[in-house]
Amino acid sequence: MGDSLAKKILKSHLVEGSLNKGEEIAIKIDQTLTQDATGTMAYLQFESIGIDKVRTELSVSYVDHNTLQTDFMNADDHKYLMSVAKKYGIYFSRPGNGICHQVHLERFAKPGKTLLGSDSHTPTAGGIGMIAIGAGGLDVAVAMAGGAFYLDMPSIVKVNLTGKLQPFVSAKDIILELLRRLTVKGGVNKIFEFTGPGVMTLSVPERATITNMGAELGATCSIFPSDEVTKMFLKAQGREKDFIELKADDNATYDEQIEINLSELEPMVAKPHMPDQVVKISEIEGLQVDQVAIGSCTNSSLKDILTVASIVDGETVAQNVEAALAPGSKNVILDAIKLGAIEKIVNSGFRLMESACGPCIGMGFAPNSKGRSVRTFNRNFKGRSGTDDAEVYLVSPEVAAATAITGKITDPRKLNKKITFSMPSSFNSSTNLIINPLPDSQRANVEIERGPNIKPCPANTPLSDSITGTVLLKVQDNITTDHIMPAGAKILPLRSNVPEISKYVFEKVDPQFHDRALEKKGGFIVGGENYGQGSSREHAALAPMYLGIKAVLVKSFARIHKANLINFGIIPLVFINPSDYDKIDRDDILEMPAIKKELDSGTITVINKTKNYEMKVKVDTSGRFIDILKAGGLLNFVR
Ligand code: MIC
Ligand code: SF4
């Protein structure tokens, strides 16, 4: 039996375990990336591990999220991050250089390597043939210190692509189609490996759009082979030497298989408020909109921008629409200027934003009240745009550009436009906004700069024999980390200050949550399926831990959030009998009389003291993770 590409790379990086589905494995991490919103905490944790230099092949610290800088806080974080990078042998991508995933793809991603990033869209680099996984900052800190990354061996899904995309149908529509079929929990604990003759019709940035949004399926990661197309991309980036050919064995076996005929796809739209609410554009075309935003780590490559420029050339953005473009990197901007695309786009009325996450994470350009915003981004969770009652629709750059001109959701095929550009054979590949690691002799003298908003990472205490507490909140299915720990311009600057940010936990779901948690001295959260989907932000575990949350009881967990809960000593429990979810209410008092002892067996006794009954729930982890929970989290365990 032959191996899939994913399995080959995992095999060559395997440190512990064997590659059987569901088994706990540990893999060596070659590269890490952090961004500024998760990076400050990750480096505070790295500092506390006490190692004098990163032990990876390459680690990069990006600044792309918190660039609004309405006061000193974000700017202080940037200074801290730069000084840490200099001290510990890390590359530093300065603000303005671009969105971490786009820049990583351009400058650092290498076929066949492993990448761990403190951002859920780290799998973007799978477009170049890497195993690239999103994780909490603490896992990335441990990887920077040379530690392996532990995960349950995912199942590997073959996605067989045949045919060729029709004009005005885009890579975005491929991943939207997968989301339509599989939903936001359809990829949990799975790796999606793309194969088949359709693969060679897609450029690396198009592949990266697909692997990027595999995160919305809940996937561990997604991967494309490294082929002639990859070679051309690396050559155009001046990095041909990083190319190696990689593909699955001809007789490779997979756990599941999905077929997509690219020729049959149509433009798609994900409706509010979930990336899997996908319909064909014909079902909602004509809907009047207020806003169009193009950019984000999903759709901000040069090809995306040249496509938009072709469509808006000579047109003016409709009067009812405000439109904005945030290119993916400084080098994308420079190429787009050189090729005349920025001129066309700006002339049509698009506002040019800096190369950063921006509106994707509610950092500016929030829609008007009840506004309808059409975005090329990857997430449309309620409130994430910064406007609670806005409706966000996710689309391809083609649909976004057509919609900007007409003012209503528009099928770009109906505009009678031609997309006329050819991609250059070499891209601007300057590295002047990347600060290289310092020589060892100079690192020792670097002083770490810590602003007043940078507070130490709080620690948990080891698990006690029994726990008792109140159900502080009961929520439904598909709760995102944006519900648990919102982002946006007001809250993001508090990422390096856990006591302060914890005031906003579940703020949009239940504004009393924080006060209730303090009053009851912590307790439990009850949830439905796919709890914690979305981002990798460990603050969605760290801040609840700070408020005394001891365990979360749900129907099922999203992968990264579950790992983050374990890392901070919050016990992830799942209902054995899903109807037990219905019986529990907020304010019930629960006791787990023998939790510490029962963790080893995996089945926990829970007594509902308010309603007077007993039930059994399952600990949703095993092995080493149980020891981490007993220790009260990974930092205690490592120490
Ligand atoms: C996101 O898209 O939600 C973010 C902001 O990039 C997060 C990281 C964070 O919360 O800092 C992610 O995707 O992991
Ligand atoms: Fe940034 Fe948005 Fe991508 Fe997250 S999803 S990394 S906020 S662009």
Side-chain angles (χ1 to χ4, degrees), residues 112-231:
K113 298 283 183 185
T114 54
L115 167 69
L116 195 71
S118 62
D119 190 280
S120 65
H121 290 103
T122 302
T124 310
I128 212 165
M130 293 187 95
I131 289 285
I133 303 178
L138 181 50
D139 280 326
V140 176
V142 168
M144 287 191 286
F149 177 62
Y150 288 79
L151 73 164
D152 294 334
M153 176 63 192
S155 53
I156 302 180
V157 183
K158 172 176 175 165
V159 186
N160 192 45
L161 302 180
T162 53
K164 189 177 185 315
L165 292 173
Q166 299 297 307
F168 298 98
V169 185
S170 175
K172 182 66 158 278
D173 300 311
I174 303 175
I175 187 65
L176 288 176
E177 169 64 9
L178 271 174
L179 277 154
R180 187 186 70 79
R181 291 195 205 172
L182 304 178
T183 80
V184 288
K185 58 186 170 79
V188 178
N189 292 330
K190 292 180 183 175
I191 294 178
F192 289 82
E193 180 167 323
F194 291 81
T195 65
V199 163
M200 59 173 251
T201 68
L202 299 169
S203 65
V204 168
E206 289 174 291
R207 296 174 183 185
T209 293
I210 297 167
T211 53
N212 172 283
M213 255 187 112
E216 276 50 70
L217 292 166
T220 302
C221 64
S222 304
I223 188 165
F224 274 82
S226 173
D227 56 11
E228 277 305 306
V229 175
T230 320
K231 189 174 178 180

Side-chain angles (χ1 to χ4, degrees), residues 480-496:
T480 72
T481 54
D482 282 279
H483 290 108
I484 306 170
M485 187 73 262
K490 186 171 102 189
I491 305 177
L492 271 174
L494 305 173
R495 283 290 180 89
S496 38

Side-chain angles (χ1 to χ4, degrees), residues 259-552:
E259 295 288 334
I260 300 185
N261 182 346
L262 303 182
S263 313
E264 288 172 358
L265 289 183
E266 294 178 33
M268 307 286 226
V269 181
K271 298 195 298 181
H273 296 284
M274 215 43 89
D276 61 2
Q277 298 302 300
V278 176
V279 294
K280 289 183 181 162
I281 194 158
S282 53
E283 291 180 39
I284 56 163
E285 64 186 328
L287 205 64
Q288 174 133 340
V289 311
D290 303 289
Q291 216 192 39
V292 169
I294 296 174
S296 91
C297 56
T298 315
N299 275 123
S300 58
S301 70
L302 183 63
K303 177 176 185 272
D304 291 331
I305 291 173
L306 295 179
T307 303
V308 171
S310 278
I311 296 173
V312 303
D313 188 12
E315 307 280 354
T316 299
V317 167
Q319 284 183 13
N320 57 301
V321 170
E322 47 174 22
L325 166 73
S329 71
K330 176 207 73 158
N331 286 335
V332 165
I333 300 180
L334 293 177
D335 281 329
I337 290 174
K338 192 161 96 196
L339 297 167
I342 296 293
E343 188 181 336
K344 289 174 188 161
I345 295 172
V346 169
N347 190 45
S348 75
F350 271 79
R351 288 155 58 183
L352 196 54
M353 312 214 121
E354 66 174 326
S355 179
C357 300
C360 178
I361 194 59
M363 277 290 194
F365 204 65
N368 53 294
S369 299
K370 298 199 173 66
R372 226 174 249 142
S373 183
V374 169
R375 303 177 159 209
T376 64
F377 307 168
N378 47 36
R379 290 185 174 143
N380 57 350
F381 305 142
K382 197 168 187 311
R384 179 176 160 103
S385 65
T387 303
D388 286 344
D389 58 6
E391 292 183 351
V392 175
Y393 294 75
L394 306 175
V395 300
S396 66
E398 288 83 343
V399 171
T403 300
I405 297 168
T406 63
K408 41 194 198 238
I409 293 184
T410 298
D411 185 336
R413 296 172 298 183
K414 296 188 177 163
L415 282 187
N416 262 333
K417 292 258 168 188
K418 275 217 164 61
I419 294 185
T420 50
F421 64 83
S422 47
M423 288 299 286
S425 57
S426 87
F427 302 122
N428 195 317
S429 54
S430 56
T431 55
N432 59 322
L433 294 189
I434 296 172
I435 301 177
N436 289 344
L438 289 181
D440 288 348
S441 57
Q442 290 174 29
R443 286 193 300 105
N445 304 327
V446 175
E447 288 286 332
I448 307 275
E449 295 187 51
R450 257 176 258 274
N453 186 47
I454 300 180
K455 302 278 189 265
C457 177
N460 205 344
T461 47
L463 181 65
S464 44
D465 294 336
S466 69
I467 52 182
T468 305
T470 308
V471 175
L472 296 169
L473 187 70
K474 182 175 174 182
V475 287
Q476 9 41 22
D477 292 349
N478 290 325
I479 284 295
T480 72
T481 54
D482 282 279
H483 290 108
I484 306 170
M485 187 73 262
K490 186 171 102 189
I491 305 177
L492 271 174
L494 305 173
R495 283 290 180 89
S496 38
N497 185 341
V498 174
E500 243 348 270
I501 206 171
S502 69
K503 295 180 182 157
Y504 299 92
V505 173
F506 280 116
E507 193 207 19
K508 302 238 161 95
V509 177
D510 179 347
Q512 308 311 319
F513 179 84
H514 168 262
D515 292 351
R516 191 161 57 247
L518 288 190
E519 184 202 317
K520 305 276 185 197
K521 300 201 165 49
F524 306 105
I525 294 165
V526 171
E529 301 278 5
N530 200 24
Y531 179 85
Q533 68 157 326
S535 85
S536 69
R537 65 190 70 144
E538 61 191 351
H539 299 75
L542 195 44
M545 176 209 90
Y546 183 78
L547 297 178
I549 301 301
K550 297 178 174 68
V552 178

